[in-house]
Amino acid sequence: MNFNGYLIRFPKSNKYFPHKLIAIDSYKCTPLQRTEIKAYRDSNNFLHRTTSPNYKTKIEFTTVDNLNLNDMRSVRSVLNSSWDNSQQRKIRIEYWDDELLAYRIMTAYMPDITYTVKTISSQNIRYNAVTFTFIEY
């Protein structure tokens, strides 16, 4: 599959995470992570592994610094319209998989986010960079 110019799209809403708000050098995708069901070393110190056939992906990135209130509204609008389960922050994500060099869809959850206010005025809020993480179920 060809690269279509985006890193993250949410199939439910067909919206993209706004690229202009991602600090692009912070974007990290760890695709197809292996999970060991069982691993041990025998008496000859040889490693024996039983690896799950279900691989998991983690995506993490930071926004640009100095987001304003409208930027944050844009981000929240995309996310809030894309939840499969808002209480669990469960969401489907189509992302560029750098290991397969193709788009894949995963069901993920988003851990809690810490928002740090940089400045406030009578009509606006400016935020420090915000970190978003998506971890596949």
Side-chain angles (χ1 to χ4, degrees), residues 73-87:
R73 282 188 180 115
S74 175
V75 168
R76 293 308 319 175
S77 174
V78 168
L79 292 172
N80 293 342
S81 65
S82 301
W83 298 124
D84 288 332
N85 181 318
S86 61
Q87 183 178 10

Side-chain angles (χ1 to χ4, degrees), residues 57-116:
T57 295
K58 179 180 177 182
I59 296 171
E60 185 174 31
F61 58 88
T62 304
T63 65
V64 295
D65 194 25
N66 212 27
L67 293 175
N68 64 39
L69 193 53
N70 283 335
D71 294 332
M72 191 60 74
R73 282 188 180 115
S74 175
V75 168
R76 293 308 319 175
S77 174
V78 168
L79 292 172
N80 293 342
S81 65
S82 301
W83 298 124
D84 288 332
N85 181 318
S86 61
Q87 183 178 10
Q88 295 177 1
R89 292 197 187 117
K90 184 177 182 180
I91 196 164
R92 280 178 300 119
I93 299 170
E94 180 179 45
Y95 68 97
W96 179 253
D97 182 318
D98 295 291
E99 190 165 321
L100 298 176
L101 299 177
Y103 285 101
R104 291 186 60 235
I105 295 178
M106 71 172 174
T107 299
Y109 68 93
M110 187 179 77
D112 293 340
I113 297 171
T114 300
Y115 300 93
T116 305

Side-chain angles (χ1 to χ4, degrees), residues 11 22 31 37 40 42 48 53 57 66 101-102 105:
I22 297 174
I37 296 171
Y40 68 94
D42 63 21
H48 301 269
T57 295
N66 212 27
L101 299 177
I105 295 178

Side-chain angles (χ1 to χ4, degrees), residues 22-36:
I22 297 174
I24 217 59
D25 63 343
S26 75
Y27 184 88
K28 294 181 269 187
C29 180
T30 309
L32 306 173
Q33 294 178 88
R34 275 47 174 186
T35 304
E36 300 305 322

